[in-house]
Amino acid sequence: MRADDGEYETYSAVVGDVAAPTVFENRPTYRLLHAELAGQSPTLRFSLGHYFDSVDVGEAAAHEFAVAYRDGQVAPGVRAAITDPCDLGQRRANLAISTLTIRRDVDTGNRSFLLHWRDPRKVGHAGGMYQVVPVGIFQPSGYAEWNTGNDFSLWRNMIREFSEELCGADEDHGSEQAPIGYESWEFASKLTEGLDDGSVEAYCLGLGVDPLSFATDLLTAVIIDGPVFDELFGEIVADNDEGRVLELQPFTSERVEQVIAEHPIQAAGAAALRLAIADLP
């Protein structure tokens, strides 16, 4: 209920009034309509949406689950209405790209990875939990119409998140004044050149839906050779706009399982880590 005894119509309206995190804006997104990754021709199909579209459904469903767990009974609501969270026809779904970043030592072949702690004071989703890094909603960089086409690229979205979450760059790339020039942006071109010469490798590990909040994540991994990694991220920002980046740690089966056992990790992060340790060459 609102202070004037009226009812809130959406979850996002409640959060905006009562406990808005640092970043909580209903920006345009690419809404996921269809996904087929298992065949010979992997396909993702999108339309346009807004950030609050999935927040209003998923976070409300998460709170309903908490109430049902506490009270021991399930009341009619959002969660009961969505019989299959993987059916994109039943709910609006934004796609988060969750990327496991791995540094590869070119001399020894040893690998290490990064984790991110999400500060509940700064984020509207999964506060207090750990996640792979970087992670970002697949969306245009700004409101200007030219961004819709210019930014419609999974890789370009990942580049922006690398810049923001690991380098501490501002989310404002000036794209309200002009489209981002990814080819002339030195950071972006260095990462993209790495894909061509093999010093950077990008993998799609799968697609999943969080069982609690219905958050939908494309699970990816990016392996970067040490010299390129150190050049791009030599001064990784420990504190960023969404939390804290932990130091590099060994990418081994033992360490991955230890991290998952000892830390509250988002479902997408745990899945990405386990798929990567099992499947990456």
Side-chain angles (χ1 to χ4, degrees):
M1 301 296 292
R2 294 181 181 273
D4 62 3
D5 291 334
E7 291 188 359
Y8 283 102
E9 294 184 359
T10 63
Y11 173 86
S12 57
V14 180
V15 174
D17 273 3
V18 177
T22 303
V23 180
F24 198 66
E25 185 179 356
N26 196 24
R27 293 175 56 180
T29 63
Y30 302 111
R31 175 188 172 188
L32 184 62
L33 297 179
H34 173 80
E36 177 54 64
L37 301 183
Q40 294 299 313
S41 300
T43 302
L44 297 172
R45 191 170 73 245
F46 297 89
S47 67
L48 294 177
H50 290 86
Y51 178 65
F52 288 172
D53 292 345
S54 59
V55 169
D56 285 333
V57 174
E59 296 298 319
H63 279 277
E64 287 180 4
F65 181 89
V67 171
Y69 183 82
R70 180 194 65 191
D71 297 345
Q73 58 184 7
V74 178
V78 174
R79 181 171 287 272
I82 298 175
T83 58
D84 181 3
C86 294
D87 180 357
L88 297 175
Q90 293 192 33
R91 65 183 181 91
R92 294 175 180 266
N94 289 323
L95 183 71
I97 306 173
S98 293
T99 301
L100 170 63
T101 302
I102 299 172
R103 183 190 184 276
R104 176 172 54 199
D105 189 299
V106 295
D107 295 323
T108 66
N110 292 336
R111 302 176 183 183
S112 50
F113 72 101
L114 293 169
L115 272 182
H116 186 230
W117 177 73
R118 296 174 59 80
D119 190 333
R121 297 168 299 178
K122 298 180 178 181
V123 298
H125 172 73
M129 301 190 75
Y130 290 80
Q131 176 61 300
V132 296
V133 61
V135 175
I137 297 294
F138 186 34
Q139 61 186 21
S141 58
Y143 291 95
E145 187 173 347
W146 52 63
N147 294 315
T148 302
N150 189 56
D151 298 332
F152 187 57
S153 159
L154 297 172
W155 180 243
R156 289 183 172 183
N157 205 96
M158 292 163 68
I159 286 172
R160 298 201 310 272
E161 294 299 332
F162 272 117
S163 175
E164 294 160 13
E165 295 193 11
L166 297 186
C167 298
D170 198 303
E171 289 189 10
D172 182 3
H173 296 275
S175 60
E176 297 302 336
Q177 287 72 47
I180 297 174
Y182 291 93
E183 294 78 6
S184 59
W185 180 9
E186 185 178 0
F187 178 84
S189 61
K190 186 69 176 179
L191 272 173
T192 304
E193 287 168 7
L195 289 178
D196 297 330
D197 64 28
S199 60
V200 177
E201 299 175 2
Y203 296 91
C204 176
L205 303 171
L207 180 70
V209 176
D210 189 295
L212 179 64
S213 67
F214 303 158
T216 304
D217 289 73
L218 186 70
L219 308 177
T220 67
V222 174
I223 303 174
I224 306 174
D225 283 349
V228 177
F229 184 98
D230 296 341
E231 179 183 350
L232 294 174
F233 311 118
E235 297 295 331
I236 291 178
V237 178
D239 294 306
N240 60 28
D241 287 342
E242 297 184 353
R244 184 177 71 251
V245 180
L246 280 64
E247 294 182 356
L248 284 163
Q249 45 201 307
F251 185 58
T252 63
S253 297
E254 294 76 15
R255 183 53 182 157
V256 164
E257 289 304 321
Q258 182 183 19
V259 165
I260 293 173
E262 295 179 356
H263 296 78
I265 296 185
Q266 285 182 248
L273 284 166
R274 284 184 167 138
L275 288 170
I277 202 71
D279 297 339
L280 288 183

